[in-house]
Amino acid sequence: MSSTSIDSLLHESRRFPPSDEFTAGAVAKADLYARAEADRLGFWADQARDLLHWHKPFTQTLDWTQAPFAKWFADGALNVAYNCLDRHVLAGHGDRVALHWEGEPGDSRTLTYAELTTEVKRAANLLASLGIGQGDRVAIYLPVIPEAVIAMLAVARLGAVHSVVFGGFSSESLRARIDDAQARLVITADGGWRKGKVFPLKAAVDGALASDGPTSVEHVLVVRRGENEVAWTEGRDLWWHEEIAPMDLEHEAKAFEAENPLFILYTSGTTGKPKGILHTSGGYLTHVAFTHKNVFDLHPETDVYWCTADVGWITGHSYVVYGPLANGATQVLYEGTPDTPHPGRWWELIEKYKVSVFYTAPTAIRSFMKAGRQIPQKFDLSSLRLLGSVGEPINPEAWIWYRDIIGGGHTPVVDTWWQTETGGIMISALPGITTLKPGSAQVPLPGISVDVLTDDGQSVPNGSGGLLVVTEPWPGMLRGIWGDPERFIETYWEKFDTGEGAERRRMYFAGDGARKDEDGDLWLLGRVDDVMNVSGHRLSTAEIESALVSHPYVAEAAVVGASDETTGQAVVAFVIVKASQAEVATADEASAILRAHVAEQIGAIARPRQVFVVNELPKTRSGKIMRRLLRDVAEGRELGDTTTLTDTSVMQIITEKLK
Ligand code: WT7
C-alpha cells in the first residue's frame, strides 16, 4: 500500500457505536477484557472449561518451557468430534439443524445434529475399517458438500490427522501435500459443481498418484457427487456410498490428549515449498469456540450463521467446521460460486435460510459493489444482524457498502485479522462493545496480546507503523511446521527473540505490516515479505516463479503482487524466454502458454493476470531482483529510485515495452 493511501485511510473519521439494543442482547460482555487482563492464563482455562467437554479435566494451562513449541491444557483429554456433535445431542439439541447445505445446481440437504452425529459415527467406523487410527494422516480433496465436514470430523473422532487440500489445487500440488504428510488415505469425489459445470476431482487424484515414485496412499475413497465418469483402480479405489452402507451407526468417541494433532493445513511461505501448518486439539478448539461465540455474537437457538469460505482454507476449518459446530450453531453450507446460476445467488440463499450472521471476504464484497446494488436489493436481507470480513484489509468504501447495502444500514461489521498459523481470530472488534471504525481491524481479542514493533524490536507509539507481532502464546497457535521444526523457528520466532535464560522473550512474527492510530487501534497494511494476497488467498512469489521456470520456454522469472481493484492483489509475472525458444512462440503466445502452465502446476488461483515477456530483469548489484520496481511497472506507476540497479536501462526497456 502506498503511503498516500495509508494516510487517507487514517483520516477515515466515521464511527459506529453499538446500539443499546445490540449491547443489551450481546453474548460478549465488556468485563471480558478486564478478566483476561487480570489473569490471561486463568481466563483461557475458564474458556476451555466452559466451552468444551473434557473426558479428563486438565490441571495445567500452558507449558511454554520448550518454547516456541507450546503445550496447552496438556494433561487434559477430549474428543474433538464428540465436542462438535454427541454432546449437543445428549443435551437435547439433536433436532437442531447443523447444516443447511445447498448445492450449486439447486439441490439441497438438511442435516440435524442427530443426523450429522450418526453420519460421522458411520464414517469413523468406515475409516477404522480401512485401518485409520490415531496419528494417521488422511488427505481430503472434496467440494463443499456435507461429506467434507463428515470426513473431517470422522478423522478427528479417531484421533487421526486430516490434511484438507483445496479442490482448486492441481494434481502436482495435491501430490506434494500427500507426500509431505505421508497420507495413507485420500478422500475425494468424482467431481463437484462450479460455475455451472462439473469439475473433475477424482481424475486429479489419479494424476497425482500416477506420477513418479512410490506413494504412501493405500486407498482412495470416492464420494459420488458430480456423477461424471471416473477411471477406477481396483483394490485401491472405493466408493464412499458402498463402503459406508453396512457400517454400524454407533461409534464410541475415545478421548485423546489435548495436544493430539488435529490437522495439517498447507499454506504458502516465502520459499517454493508450502508449509504444513500443524494444529492440535484442546487449545485450538477452545480458541475457535471462544472467538466464534463472541465475535459472531452467536445465539445458537435462533441464529442462522453462514461463512462463505471453502473448507480447503483455514477459515473453512475454524469458522465452518470446528468453531460453529463446537458451539451448536445452525449454518448454511454452499457448494458453488456466488454468481451461479445468477448474480444474486448468495442473497437468494440469505433470504431462503433467513441468515442472521454472515462472514465473507472483501474481494467478494468489492466484486458485488462493482456489479451494483440493484442485485442484492432484489432480495429480502432483513434477517441479517451481524456481518464479518476476513482475508485482507477491507477498505472503508467497501466496509460502508457492506453495512449499508447488505446490512440495511444497521448491522455491525467486524473486520477480523488472523492467519492459518494463528488458528483463530486474533484482532477484531467485539459487537455490542466496540465502537466500529471502517477500515481498521481495531483491537486484540481478550486473552490475545499483540504489538507493533520497529525492525529492531521497539514498540512503536500511537500514530506510527511497523511489524505486527503476537507477544504472548495463545491457545490456537500453530504447534509447528510438519516435519520442519527449523523452518518453524526461523520463520516465526527468530526475528524477535531477546534476552537469555529466565529473561528470554520470544514473540511471534506475523509477516504483516500494521499501524497504530491515535487511539491505538490497529490498521493492517499487508504482507512485508514476498507473499501475495489474491482474493484473500495466500500465494508465494517463489512458488509461482519456480512453476514458471519449470517450463522449457523460461530462462528466468520474477513474480510480484500488483494491487487489483477487486482481488486486492493480482499475480503479475515477468519472464525472460530462452533464446532457443524465442522463435518457437511469439511473446503473446508464450504469455498465454505460461499462464496456463502455472494454473496446471499449482492451481487456477495462481494463474497470473499477466505474463510479460522481457529481455532482462532489474537486479541490485548483489543480484537480487528488485520487485519494488516491477510492482511499480505492473501498477503503472512512475518508477521510483533506480540508483541501486546494475543497469538502469533495463527498467527503461521494460516500461517502454509495456506501454
Ligand atoms: C494473511 C493470512 C485468516 C483467514 C484468511 C487468510 C491477511 C487476513 C486480514 C484482515 C488485513 C488480513 C494478512 C495475513 N489478512 N485477515 N482482516 N485485514 N489483512 O488466511 O491465508 O493464512 O492469510 O491474510 O496478510 O497475514 P491466510
Side-chain angles (χ1 to χ4, degrees):
M1 212 181 282
S2 71
S3 59
T4 43
S5 58
I6 295 164
D7 287 344
S8 68
L9 268 184
L10 293 171
H11 288 128
E12 169 59 51
S13 59
R14 285 167 284 194
R15 299 288 179 270
F16 299 88
S19 70
D20 293 344
E21 195 197 334
F22 201 107
T23 304
V27 169
K29 303 294 177 208
D31 73 335
L32 281 177
Y33 290 103
R35 278 168 52 199
E37 183 70 34
D39 176 10
R40 192 175 58 88
L41 295 179
F43 170 83
W44 282 119
D46 287 348
Q47 299 307 327
R49 290 187 187 107
D50 291 353
L51 296 167
L52 305 183
H53 173 84
W54 293 85
H55 278 72
K56 176 175 174 254
F58 59 89
T59 60
Q60 208 182 62
T61 301
L62 169 67
D63 176 357
W64 192 231
T65 54
Q66 306 297 313
F69 297 91
K71 288 189 181 136
W72 283 84
F73 315 123
D75 62 345
L78 78 171
N79 185 290
V80 170
Y82 179 93
N83 270 281
C84 292
L85 300 165
D86 312 48
R87 67 166 169 146
H88 302 314
V89 178
L90 294 171
H93 306 309
D95 291 338
R96 185 185 294 164
V97 172
L99 301 176
H100 284 295
W101 174 76
E102 184 93 5
E104 194 186 73
D107 50 340
S108 62
R109 244 173 104 184
T110 292
L111 286 150
T112 62
Y113 271 92
E115 290 164 340
L116 186 62
T117 303
T118 301
E119 289 306 309
V120 171
K121 288 178 173 175
R122 294 168 77 203
N125 286 324
L126 166 54
L127 301 193
S129 77
L130 296 175
I132 300 299
Q134 183 178 10
D136 287 328
R137 275 82 62 202
V138 176
I140 297 178
Y141 188 62
L142 282 171
V144 180
I145 54 177
E147 284 77 7
V149 178
I150 293 165
M152 289 165 76
L153 290 169
V155 170
R157 194 173 184 93
L158 297 172
V161 186
H162 57 70
S163 163
V164 183
V165 179
F166 173 59
F169 279 119
S170 66
S171 297
E172 256 89 342
S173 298
L174 175 62
R175 175 64 190 248
R177 286 158 173 75
I178 288 172
D179 286 352
D180 188 73
Q182 291 289 292
R184 295 181 60 187
L185 173 70
V186 179
I187 305 178
T188 189
D190 46 2
W193 285 88
R194 208 185 134 76
K195 294 192 202 279
K197 288 200 287 257
V198 171
F199 65 95
L201 283 166
K202 171 64 164 60
V205 174
D206 292 339
L209 299 183
S211 60
D212 292 352
T215 157
S216 51
V217 173
E218 296 157 18
H219 290 288
V220 178
L221 202 46
V222 189
V223 177
R224 194 161 64 192
R225 166 63 188 150
E227 304 195 359
N228 47 316
E229 255 185 62
V230 291
W232 210 251
T233 302
E234 285 306 328
R236 184 195 73 184
D237 299 348
L238 304 165
W239 283 111
W240 170 283
H241 63 275
E242 285 176 4
E243 300 297 321
I244 207 166
M247 289 296 147
D248 195 354
L249 306 185
E250 276 312 321
H251 177 272
E252 194 199 336
K254 292 207 173 62
F256 296 97
E257 56 180 39
E259 285 297 338
N260 193 55
L262 179 60
F263 65 85
I264 304 167
L265 185 60
Y266 288 84
T267 189
S268 297
T270 53
T271 71
K273 189 174 182 276
K275 305 177 277 197
I277 303 299
L278 175 67
H279 284 288
T280 60
S281 304
Y284 171 79
L285 201 62
T286 299
H287 188 159
V288 296
F290 170 75
T291 50
H292 180 260
K293 182 174 166 196
N294 288 283
V295 175
F296 299 115
D297 190 45
L298 186 78
H299 293 73
E301 322 73 40
T302 49
D303 273 320
V304 178
Y305 164 85
W306 182 17
C307 165
T308 64
D310 191 290
V311 291
W313 308 111
I314 190 66
T315 310
H317 285 59
S318 302
Y319 299 109
V320 174
V321 181
Y322 294 110
L325 295 177
N327 289 333
T330 293
Q331 65 179 321
V332 171
L333 191 67
Y334 173 55
E335 177 186 34
T337 44
D339 52 358
T340 309
H342 61 82
R345 189 67 196 275
W346 276 8
W347 320 124
E348 178 184 68
L349 291 177
I350 289 176
E351 179 180 291
K352 176 174 174 183
Y353 293 109
K354 300 196 167 42
V355 172
S356 53
V357 179
F358 183 62
Y359 190 31
T360 195
T363 181
I365 298 163
R366 288 193 299 265
S367 67
F368 287 122
M369 268 173 91
K370 248 206 230 159
R373 60 181 61 186
Q374 68 285 354
I375 298 168
Q377 280 173 345
K378 282 194 212 113
F379 298 90
D380 178 6
L381 306 180
S382 61
S383 54
L384 289 170
R385 59 178 200 87
L386 175 62
L387 302 175
S389 171
V390 62
E392 52 181 313
I394 177 164
N395 47 306
E397 286 59 45
W399 195 103
I400 297 285
W401 188 91
Y402 193 26
R403 177 182 159 103
D404 282 352
I405 308 304
I406 306 305
H410 66 88
T411 58
V413 174
V414 288
D415 175 9
T416 61
W417 179 89
W418 58 294
Q419 308 177 298
T420 304
E421 292 86 340
T422 68
I425 300 170
M426 303 292 279
I427 303 175
S428 172
L430 282 180
I433 301 179
T434 319
T435 290
L436 304 170
K437 233 182 230 186
S440 166
Q442 304 201 273
V443 285
L445 290 176
I448 300 294
S449 314
V450 306
D451 202 354
V452 179
L453 305 183
T454 60
D455 207 46
D456 54 9
Q458 303 301 311
S459 176
V460 307
N462 288 353
S464 299
L467 303 171
L468 183 69
V469 295
V470 185
T471 58
E472 300 290 347
W474 66 100
M477 66 197 289
L478 75 165
R479 300 301 198 264
I481 294 177
W482 187 259
D484 202 345
E486 281 308 308
R487 190 174 180 193
F488 170 61
I489 295 170
E490 268 166 38
T491 310
Y492 307 106
W493 302 98
E494 250 168 21
K495 187 158 177 65
F496 299 110
D497 177 353
T498 54
E500 267 168 57
E503 298 294 300
R504 186 158 179 192
R505 184 125 190 268
R506 301 164 191 258
M507 290 183 269
Y508 170 83
F509 173 49
D512 277 18
R515 208 170 148 119
K516 297 178 188 167
D517 69 14
E518 296 303 336
D519 308 320
D521 279 331
L522 296 161
W523 296 71
L524 276 303
L525 305 176
R527 303 286 308 187
V528 296
D529 51 16
D530 291 334
V531 170
M532 292 170 286
N533 187 327
V534 178
S535 298
H537 300 311
R538 214 199 288 191
L539 293 172
S540 140
T541 54
E543 200 180 344
I544 299 175
E545 283 163 6
S546 91
L548 284 166
V549 297
S550 76
H551 194 279
Y553 281 2
V554 180
E556 224 183 317
V559 167
V560 296
S563 52
D564 183 280
E565 231 180 83
T566 307
T567 59
Q569 283 187 309
V571 180
V572 176
F574 295 83
V575 298
I576 302 176
V577 170
K578 284 180 189 155
S580 59
Q581 301 293 336
E583 281 155 31
V584 181
T586 65
D588 280 353
E589 286 162 359
S591 158
I593 289 166
L594 293 173
R595 290 181 63 237
H597 175 71
V598 172
E600 197 189 289
Q601 288 284 306
I602 303 175
I605 41 161
R607 187 197 319 268
R609 184 183 72 185
Q610 291 151 303
V611 174
F612 294 116
V613 176
V614 295
N615 295 330
E616 261 184 275
L617 291 169
K619 292 193 180 147
T620 60
R621 288 174 219 284
S622 61
K624 203 170 175 300
I625 292 172
M626 297 186 73
R627 288 171 204 285
R628 183 178 51 80
L629 291 181
L630 291 175
R631 218 172 292 129
D632 285 343
V633 174
E635 293 173 357
R637 263 196 307 281
E638 289 286 309
L639 293 184
D641 183 15
T642 56
T643 48
T644 52
L645 266 179
T646 37
D647 178 5
T648 43
S649 63
V650 173
M651 287 315 293
Q652 210 78 45
I653 296 164
I654 292 178
T655 25
E656 285 305 317
K657 275 185 84 123
L658 302 182
K659 272 191 185 143

